[in-house]
Amino acid sequence: MRYRLRPGRPLDSEFRNLYRSLNETLALALLMACREPERGVHQARRSCKEVRALLRLFGGDASHQRFYRSLAAGLSGQRDAVVMVKTWQGLVNEIADLQGSEFVPVTRFLSTPEGVAEARPGDQSLYLELAQSAEAQCARGPGCGIPNGLSALERVYRRARKAWHKACDSGDREDFHDFRKRSKDLYYSLRFLKPLLPKPSQRLVGQLKKLTEVQGLANDVAVLEEHLSAHADQIRLTQVGWRCLNRVLANKEQALQAKAFRLAKPILAVRPCQFTGRLNLPV
């Protein structure tokens, strides 16, 4: 179980305990991946994001960020393979336009080795090696101190707010992806601090969780669309079929993005100092 910050304790030692706990969770997830690749990889990638968010909140040298970013990137192929199949199956079940026999080639393609990135034969050794690296990183320590006041949390919030505005204005997929990453940083930051928050402020954690879940669904559709487009020559669809498929995927992604923007507005509409002020955080 992940360590939780305890009110009234020195924040420096609490932070280091949390950092150690997250690394232990990461190592255990990588060991789990040897037996259950899908579950273990998912949990390991999430742990990497949590540690990176913790380091952004409390500072830290760039080498730590590079380590966790590289580790997560090495696991992204298998994660995307699983998610693309699930996303496609969900869309077919939800949208009648995709239930015709003309889209069977897409389902067939995603069920082949060429359609998704399969786990390599040496993955078990890779997971063991990465688990050892995570344990070694834990022994090194976070390599940072504790910031003064709420300046770090304001910085995390400011970046999320800026990314929200940019994604709203541009409608660009990459900007939305950055908005999603910055929202996750804010979500994890507040989840770390949740035990220190008064109950009215704790509701923000749930609101941010819902926001990031919707953003994740939009990203899954985008990953699927990019993958299918890149392998169009291997999927035997008619021109009419491709037009229908592209329209359905674009509409679904845009609808999810619009929902994410609506969910973000009550959270990110205020200035950073107002946001941290209303939290009543005793740090």
Side-chain angles (χ1 to χ4, degrees), residues 30 34 74-75 120 122-132:
L30 289 164
C34 296
L75 301 171
R120 298 186 304 276
D123 273 348
Q124 189 172 82
S125 298
L126 172 65
Y127 299 145
L128 291 172
E129 180 182 341
L130 292 176
Q132 291 173 341

Side-chain angles (χ1 to χ4, degrees), residues 36-83:
E36 302 177 63
E38 181 180 340
R39 184 181 173 196
V41 166
H42 173 72
Q43 292 190 10
R45 282 174 52 81
R46 183 176 63 187
S47 293
C48 285
K49 293 174 184 177
E50 287 183 304
V51 179
R52 293 185 67 197
L54 184 70
L55 292 172
R56 287 193 184 97
L57 180 63
F58 289 118
D61 60 59
S63 66
H64 285 73
Q65 285 287 356
R66 286 195 299 270
F67 170 80
Y68 295 106
R69 182 172 60 247
S70 176
L71 196 158
L75 301 171
S76 62
Q78 188 175 37
R79 184 268 179 194
D80 288 346
V82 172
V83 168

